[in-house]
């Protein structure tokens, strides 16, 4: 099985870099300590399969870059201007951008520009 994996990595090195980016995106928000270990593991796989250090650096960079992108995305989502208003009754004027929809729980929601 290991030989088959090395053969696939040798034929399609871009897939390993893409997999590294996905691992980084998944690990970044919740398990930041896991990202360097995953980067090292995938880099070792790249060197074992292909023998090129450049490939290992690209894979490790993709993992760490994906983790940084995930962290930045979560920080941007957590910086909502509505955060001080959570848990309070609020009356605001807004522009309805889509038709209101009903969730399975019975609540209505729609996209609104404030």
């Amino acid at each position: 099985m290991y030989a088959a994996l090395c053969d696939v990595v040798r034929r399609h090195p871009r897939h390993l870099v893409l997999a590294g980016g996905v691992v980084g995106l998944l690990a970044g928000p919740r398990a930041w300590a896991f990202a360097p270990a995953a980067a090292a593991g995938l880099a070792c796989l790249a060197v074992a399969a292909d023998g090129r250090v450049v490939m290992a650096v690209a894979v490790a960079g993709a993992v760490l870059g994906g983790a940084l992108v995930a962290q930045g995305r979560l920080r941007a989502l957590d910086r909502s201007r509505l955060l001080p208003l959570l848990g309070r009754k609020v009356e605001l004027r807004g522009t309805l951008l889509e038709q209101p929809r009903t969730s399975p729980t019975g609540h209505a929601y729609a996209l609104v520009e404030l």
Side-chain angles (χ1 to χ4, degrees), residues 9 12-27 42 45-46 55-67:
V9 170
H12 305 287
R14 297 179 309 270
H15 293 182
L16 187 61
V17 175
L18 181 63
V22 170
V23 167
L25 285 170
L26 292 174
L42 288 175
L45 175 63
M55 180 68 175
V57 171
V59 169
V63 172
L64 298 176

Side-chain angles (χ1 to χ4, degrees), residues 6-100:
C6 288
D7 186 45
V8 169
V9 170
R10 204 173 298 115
R11 284 185 288 131
H12 305 287
R14 297 179 309 270
H15 293 182
L16 187 61
V17 175
L18 181 63
V22 170
V23 167
L25 285 170
L26 292 174
R30 302 286 179 236
W32 176 246
F34 175 71
L42 288 175
C44 288
L45 175 63
V47 169
D50 204 21
R52 292 185 291 177
V53 177
V54 173
M55 180 68 175
V57 171
V59 169
V63 172
L64 298 176
L68 287 173
V69 166
Q71 288 284 346
R73 184 172 183 268
L74 280 181
R75 280 195 195 112
L77 288 172
D78 289 341
R79 258 191 320 239
S80 172
R81 292 186 291 172
L82 299 176
L83 196 59
L85 303 176
L86 290 177
R88 297 183 177 174
K89 183 177 179 180
V90 179
E91 290 186 27
L92 298 171
R93 282 190 155 307
T95 304
L96 193 62
L97 299 176
E98 65 179 24
Q99 289 291 331

